[in-house]
Every structure is written in C-alpha cells, then in structure tokens.
Amino acid sequence: MSIESFIAPKHNYPFLWFMDFAIESLMRVVHNITEVNISEEDKQMLKGFKDKRLIYISNHPSTKEPPVTYVVSKYTYSRFYYMASREVFDWGYGFVGNVIQAVGAYSIIAGTADRESLKMTRSILASPNGKLALFPEGEPTGAENDNLLPFQPGVTQLGFWGFEDALKQDPKAEIYILPAFIKYRVAEPLDEVQNEIDRSLEKLENHFKLSKKGKSIEERLLSIATSIVEANERQFGISSDPSLDFDYRIGQLRHKILNHVADTVGLKKFNRDANAIEKLRQILSTFELVQVGVPDPKGELPKKELAQWGRKYCQKAYDLISLKSTYILELPSPERIYEWIYRLESEVFGSSSPRPHKAYVSFSEPILLSQYYTQYKTSKNKKEIVDGLTNTLREKIQELLDKEKQKSYRLFSASYRF
C-alpha cells in the first residue's frame, strides 16, 4: 500500500553547512557527548568513499547514533541520507521532523508496504554517489551498548534492490557496505565517576528506603531493580516470590505488561509466544500506524487515545527489557552501570539525564555488494542469500564490539563494599 504521509528528504545546504559547524556542540548539549573519536587512518578511509555508492550500517543502542553518524559523514566529504521512523517527524510539534528532513532523513512506517519509502531508498542507492545510513537492529533501540539485537533482513534486501537499479544505469556500478560500531565511554576522571554513581544510586535507594552499607555495586543495582520489580508485581497482580531468579521475575513482568497492553487496546494477530522485544516492536509499530493516521478500513487499529495510553506502559516494558542481571554481573563497567542507572531513574523518577561521555567509532572492512549479487540473482532461494549476508554483516559488527569490550574494566574492585 502507498503511504500518503511519506516524508521525503530535503538536503538544505545552508542548514547543512551550519550543522557541519555546530553538530558536535549540539551533541554536547542534547546528548552530553563531549567528543566523537575516529582514528586518523579511518578518516582517510572514509574520504575514499567520496565518489562511491555506500550503505553505512552501525549498532543502534540509543537515539545518539544518527548524530554520531552525521559526524562520520563529514569525513566522506559527501551527504548521507537517513531512514527514520515516520512518527519521529512529528516530535516537538514537527520541529524535529524539519531538522532531520533538512539533513537528509526520510520516513518509513514499519509493518507496512511503504512503497514511497522503498522507491526513495532505491533511488538513493542507484544515484552515482548515493549514500544511505541504516541501523539494522531497528526500533526500539537495544539499550545495551555491549550487545546486539538480531538484524532485520530488510536492510540487505534494500541493498540488492538498489544495486539492481544502479546496474541499469551503469553496468560497472558498485555499492559498498561499511559496517561500523559505536562505543560510548565515560568522559570524566575515574574518581569523579565513582562519586557520581554513588550519589545517583543513593537517590534511588532513598526512594525505596534501602541501605547501601556492606553492598557491592552489583548488589546495590540489583536491590533497587528488585524493588522496582516488586512494586510492578503488585500493580499487575503477580505474586512476589523472592526465591525466584531476578531475571525470571523481570521477564515474567515485562511479558505481563506487554500482554496487558495488547489485550487492552485490542491488538489483532498479537503473537503471545514471541520474545519481549518482538512483542514491543509489534505494539509500537501498530501505535505508529495510529499516530500518523494510516487508513484503517477494516477497523483493525486501536483508537488514538488507547495508543497514547499504551505508550506509557511500553516505556515501562522497555526499561525492564534493558535490565538483565547477567549483563551487569558479567562486567560492572562504568558504562554498563550508567545504562542501568538511566533505566532505573526513568522508571522511578520518570526521566534521566545522560552523564558526560565520548563516542568511539570503529569500522570493519567494507563489503562489495557485487560479490554477492550474482549468487542472489541466480538463486531460487533469494531469502537464503539475503539472510546469509545479513548474518555476515552482524558478525562484522560483533567482531568490532568484541574488540571494544576488551577495553572495558570494572569500575569498583570485586571486593569493594560501600
């Protein structure tokens, strides 16, 4: 179906020149990112893509990756296009939409055959120097910088379709796929980070009348999270059983919340057996259809008021999806601790502010789409080829993630007690 509410990109060059100058200052104000670090060698590599077709892909644990990617694009001496959720264009009464449209973003409505968006994507990739930034993990974002969500195969499929169109214009056409990984690290001295984390946890502990005395950093985080789980268990009629594993309890709770939302809004074809992130994606994509006013002749979509109500609980479910004991117990690094604090603060206080941090961008060797296209074109099972390349791309970014993770460290020693 053709989505009439499609929003096309509009590269506004005076605005882009301003953004080239201001982007890093704006990131400091909006996201508290004090620096985007790209090695000199990688800057030279990026410059080599100036006159080439490119699909840039990276991990997507937060809302910060698009502006970081804009910084990356500056070193290619060309302009990227960005695919963004349609409802993002309505944020801030349309102000956000005007800004991202001016830097090259266009809309996509997940869960629909958004033909106009597909047409735009193919056109960008067929252009001689077309460059498109994509985030294969999709929405909602993964929230954990040290983990990847499964990649959505649509990214690879779009690449093949764009390559087909490019070949019609130029039989020698090539599309490069550049996998990147963005790692966020604290920007302040170690002792300041330790003190700030201690103060932040004390505020949360005071809310639940918890004591930090004699606890490790992991125990403090888990005791606060357990208090949140217990409060939500009472709200949703789940019997609290302290003998049960924390991850089991929070997993049961997040599914209870998502099922409750789906049942209350009357969501059609809801898969109750799916994992929590897939359930959340299905619910949020449905709410987006409602928000942007997609025609609903069969009456399958919930009312707008119900969709707005459901979003509040989806945020709660998202916060809970992001809290896994194994993640913090494996390595209580400053960055993982802050990821937990942001989720805990969001749940308890309704919002959270990012602390100063830096973004480090690393890259894998680019992949030439032509090396896979012949097999794709001649195969009777194109899905198999698409899935295979999607897995290869994920493995490339996972390798980058693993290298960055080796640089992480415990913020407090294992024996330290408050």
Side-chain angles (χ1 to χ4, degrees):
M1 95 189 216
S2 179
I3 304 301
E4 295 180 356
S5 54
F6 171 72
I7 297 178
K10 294 180 180 179
H11 274 151
N12 182 324
Y13 284 93
F15 184 74
L16 284 163
W17 297 330
F18 165 76
M19 288 295 291
D20 289 345
F21 173 77
I23 182 64
E24 293 183 61
S25 296
L26 291 172
M27 290 170 64
R28 187 175 292 110
V29 172
V30 176
H31 295 295
N32 215 345
I33 295 177
T34 62
E35 180 185 343
V36 176
N37 188 290
I38 302 171
S39 73
E40 292 301 320
E41 180 181 356
D42 285 336
K43 289 176 183 178
Q44 288 300 313
M45 177 270 296
L46 291 168
K47 186 177 180 180
F49 287 110
K50 181 177 185 295
D51 298 319
K52 298 176 181 177
R53 297 178 180 87
L54 177 68
I55 300 175
Y56 169 95
I57 63 171
S58 90
N59 58 317
H60 194 25
S62 69
T63 59
K64 298 174 288 191
E65 290 71 55
V68 171
T69 299
Y70 186 93
V71 175
V72 172
S73 75
K74 290 169 56 178
Y75 294 102
T76 67
Y77 295 88
S78 50
R79 301 298 178 184
F80 281 17
Y81 288 89
Y82 307 83
M83 185 184 291
S85 171
R86 170 59 183 81
E87 64 180 346
V88 173
F89 289 83
D90 295 330
W91 289 0
Y93 301 98
F95 174 77
V96 172
N98 290 335
V99 170
I100 64 175
Q101 186 182 24
V103 300
Y106 61 99
S107 68
I108 178 73
I109 299 181
T112 70
D114 195 339
R115 293 190 179 93
E116 293 301 320
S117 186
L118 173 59
K119 182 180 177 181
M120 176 58 65
T121 301
R122 296 179 70 151
S123 174
I124 290 168
L125 294 177
S127 300
N129 304 321
K131 293 176 177 61
L132 179 62
L134 295 172
F135 304 100
E137 291 176 278
E139 299 287 347
T141 56
E144 294 177 345
N145 199 182
D146 286 345
N147 279 327
L148 294 175
L149 292 176
F151 279 15
Q152 299 184 27
V155 171
T156 306
Q157 183 62 75
L158 289 171
F160 280 125
W161 285 336
F163 190 52
E164 287 179 340
D165 293 346
L167 288 173
K168 293 174 184 176
Q169 299 181 25
D170 177 8
K172 297 181 180 180
E174 183 61 87
I175 293 180
Y176 294 83
I177 304 178
L178 180 63
F181 179 73
I182 303 169
K183 175 64 180 176
Y184 302 105
R185 298 195 182 280
V186 294
E188 301 298 300
L190 180 60
D191 59 339
E192 292 183 22
V193 172
Q194 289 176 325
N195 291 333
E196 201 285 326
I197 283 177
D198 183 29
R199 292 192 300 270
S200 297
L201 291 179
E202 277 190 343
K203 292 178 183 178
L204 290 160
E205 288 162 337
N206 290 339
H207 180 85
F208 293 107
K209 297 180 173 58
L210 299 171
S211 171
K212 68 176 183 179
K213 187 176 182 180
K215 291 180 180 177
S216 66
I217 186 64
E218 300 96 318
E219 290 168 336
R220 292 181 71 183
L221 289 163
L222 284 168
S223 65
I224 296 167
T226 299
S227 296
I228 290 173
V229 168
E230 290 172 347
N232 281 280
E233 285 175 336
R234 291 191 293 271
Q235 179 181 352
F236 288 94
I238 300 175
S239 299
S240 295
D241 185 351
S243 67
L244 292 175
D245 175 74
F246 170 81
D247 290 324
Y248 176 86
R249 291 175 69 185
I250 201 168
Q252 177 182 240
L253 178 59
R254 66 173 74 107
H255 280 282
K256 180 77 171 182
I257 293 171
L258 292 169
N259 291 344
H260 172 66
V261 171
D263 293 341
T264 302
V265 304
L267 197 63
K268 306 294 184 182
K269 301 177 182 178
F270 181 67
N271 184 3
R272 304 180 77 88
D273 296 325
N275 62 44
I277 197 70
E278 289 173 348
K279 286 183 177 181
L280 185 58
R281 281 175 172 168
Q282 183 183 357
I283 293 171
L284 290 178
S285 64
T286 301
F287 289 170
E288 182 178 19
L289 297 177
V290 175
Q291 181 66 32
V292 301
V294 171
D296 181 28
K298 297 182 180 180
E300 295 180 341
L301 298 177
K303 300 295 183 183
K304 192 170 186 177
E305 296 76 14
L306 279 175
Q308 291 172 342
W309 166 87
R311 281 189 177 277
K312 177 180 68 174
Y313 287 100
C314 285
Q315 178 61 50
K316 181 186 290 289
Y318 176 72
D319 289 337
L320 298 177
I321 289 171
S322 308
L323 298 176
K324 304 181 186 73
S325 68
T326 50
Y327 187 69
I328 200 65
L329 292 174
E330 177 194 39
L331 180 62
S333 64
E335 295 77 22
R336 292 193 188 191
I337 293 171
Y338 271 130
E339 285 175 0
W340 266 57
I341 287 176
Y342 297 155
R343 302 275 70 81
L344 298 173
E345 289 178 339
S346 175
E347 178 63 21
V348 173
F349 303 131
S351 64
S352 182
S353 298
R355 280 56 164 187
H357 57 294
K358 300 178 181 180
Y360 292 81
V361 190
S362 56
F363 304 90
S364 181
E365 288 291 324
I367 290 175
L368 278 64
L369 201 53
S370 61
Q371 295 180 350
Y372 294 83
Y373 181 71
T374 300
Q375 188 179 12
Y376 168 82
K377 190 67 175 177
T378 58
S379 175
K380 294 181 179 179
N381 187 353
K382 288 181 170 51
K383 181 180 183 299
E384 182 179 10
I385 307 304
V386 168
D387 289 345
L389 180 53
T390 301
N391 290 336
T392 297
L393 296 174
R394 190 178 188 279
E395 289 168 1
K396 295 285 186 182
I397 295 182
Q398 182 67 52
E399 290 173 2
L400 296 172
L401 186 160
D402 291 339
K403 289 180 181 178
E404 286 296 322
K405 192 160 65 171
Q406 292 175 5
K407 302 174 187 177
S408 298
Y409 55 88
R410 290 184 63 100
L411 179 60
F412 299 92
S413 70
S415 60
Y416 184 83
R417 297 296 181 269
F418 290 89

